[in-house]
Amino acid sequence: MTTAKKLFIKTYGCQMNVYDSERMAEALGGQGYETASSAEEADMILLNTCHIREKAAEKVYSELGRLKKLKVDKPDLKIGVAGCVAQAEGAEIIRRQPAVDLVVGPQSYHRLPEMEAKVRAGEAALDTDFPAEDKFEHLKSRPKARRAPAAFLTVQEGCDKFCAFCVVPYTRGAEISRPVLRVLEEARDLVERGVREITLLGQNVNAYHGAGQKGDVGLAALIRELAKIDGLDRIRYTTSHPNDMDDELIAAHAEVPELMPYLHLPVQSGSDHILKRMNRSHTAESYLRLIERIRAARPDIVLSGDFIVGFPEESDADFEATMELVRQVKYGYAYSFKYSTRPGTPAAERQLVDPEVADERLQRLQRLITQHQQEVQQSMLGREVSVLVERQGRAPGQMLGKSEYLHAVHIDDAMAQVGDIARVRIVDSKTNSLTARHIQADKGGE
Ligand code: SAH
Ligand code: SF4
Ligand code: F3S
C-alpha cells in the first residue's frame, strides 16, 4: 500500500518566500508529497526562512528546537531548512541543530527532488550553490488546479545594490531577470486558473530587464505586455528601488489602467548623510522629486515605504530629517525597523546607536506613520472603489478583499463571490481596514 507522504512548509520573510514555498510544494508534489495542514501530521517539514534581521534568523532555531521533538514519535520525519538563513549559514545549521536533515538555498530549489531522495536514504543533504541552470525552468510544471484570485509571480531575483545594512545580495545572489516570454506564459497560466490580479515580485523588481524578442525589456514594457492578457485585470509590482524608477515606469502608472495605484518605494532614511553611509545612492531631495513626478502621473496613488531607524551614526538631526521626509510624503502605509547588525555586511563594523535612543525614535516614527495611515484611510470615506474579493469575512454575508489602493476592505452586504471585482462605497475606517457597502446600481451594469 502506498499512502501519500505529507509535506508541511512554514514560510517566513518576504513575498518571494511565499512564491518559492509554492514552487517547492510543487517540486515535491512530483515525489508524491501532499500538503499537510500542520507540522504534526507531516513526514517532511520545510522552514522557508528569512535572514533580514537577527530576530528573523533566531526564530528559525527556536522553531527547529520545537520541531525536533516530533522526531521522537516519528523517527522517519525529515526536517529541512530553505530560504535565506539556509543560504547564509549553510552547514552551520546542521552543526547547531543536528535534527536538520536538509539545507537548501533559494537558487537550488529545483534540486529538491534529488535531495529528498538522499535524505530518505538516511543521508544529510546540503545545497547552497548558485547553479548555472535556471531554477525557474525546472520548477515550471504545475498542476492546473484553480487558485485564489490574487497571485505572486517572481520576475526578478537577487540584488546588485549592496546597501550597507542588507544581507539580500549575499543570500539571493546577483540580480537576474526572467525572460519576457516565460513571464507571460506563467501569467497566462495563472489567469486560466482564475487569477485576476498578479503582483510581480523581485528584490529589485523595477531593475527588471528580461530578454525579449528584440533585446532586453524593462519593467514598464513587461507590464504593458501583461496588461494585454485577457482576464488579467490588476497588476502590481514590489519591491522597487528609487534609482530604478524610470520615466517609462512612471508613464505606465498614468497610462495602463490595469496597473494599480499603489507603490511600495522604500527610502530607508531622510538624512543624506545616513543615505550615503547606507550606500543608497539617492538623496532625500531626489526621492522627494521622484515622488512628485509619480504623483503628477497618478495623483491618487497611495505610497508605502520602508525605514531603518538607529542605523550606525544616526544623530538626532538625521532622525529628524527622516520624520520630515515622512511628513512630506505622507505614506498610506510604511514599515519601520530598528537597525539590526548583519554579520558580513559593511555596516556591521560600525558604531551602534544607543538601543534606548533607537527604540524611542522608532516609536516616534511609528506614531507618525500610523497617524498618516489613518488619515489616508479616512480620505477614502465616501469614495467608490473596486474590490477584488478574496475570501469570506467572519460575519455572515461579509466578504473581504483589496481595493485598488491595497486597502483591506470588508464588504458587509456582499452580493459578490470570491474572484469578483465589486464596486463599493467606503463607509468606515477601522485600524487596519476599511468597511464598504455594495453599490447596487453597478450590479449587472456596464
Ligand atoms: N529589496 C527591498 C527589500 C529589502 S528587505 C528594498 O530594497 O527595499 C526589506 C526591508 O528590510 C528593507 O527595505 C529595510 O528597510 C529592512 N532591512 C533590511 N536590512 C535590515 C537590517 N539590517 N536591519 C533592519 N532592517 C533591515
Ligand atoms: Fe537590500 Fe538594498 Fe538590495 Fe534592497 S536594494 S535588497 S535593501 S541591498
Ligand atoms: Fe528575508 Fe530573504 Fe526575503 S532575507 S526578506 S526572505 S529575500
Side-chain angles (χ1 to χ4, degrees), residues 163-185:
C163 298
F165 49 80
C166 184
V167 295
V168 171
Y170 312 97
T171 63
R172 294 280 171 168
E175 207 187 281
I176 60 116
S177 294
R178 295 177 65 192
V180 175
L181 285 177
R182 293 285 173 265
V183 174
L184 294 176
E185 188 182 33

Side-chain angles (χ1 to χ4, degrees), residues 12-17 49-53 83-85 167-168 171-172 203:
Y12 302 83
C14 62
Q15 289 125 322
M16 195 168 285
N17 270 5
T49 61
C50 175
H51 201 247
I52 202 80
R53 284 167 288 274
C84 291
V85 176
V167 295
V168 171
T171 63
R172 294 280 171 168
Q203 268 89 28

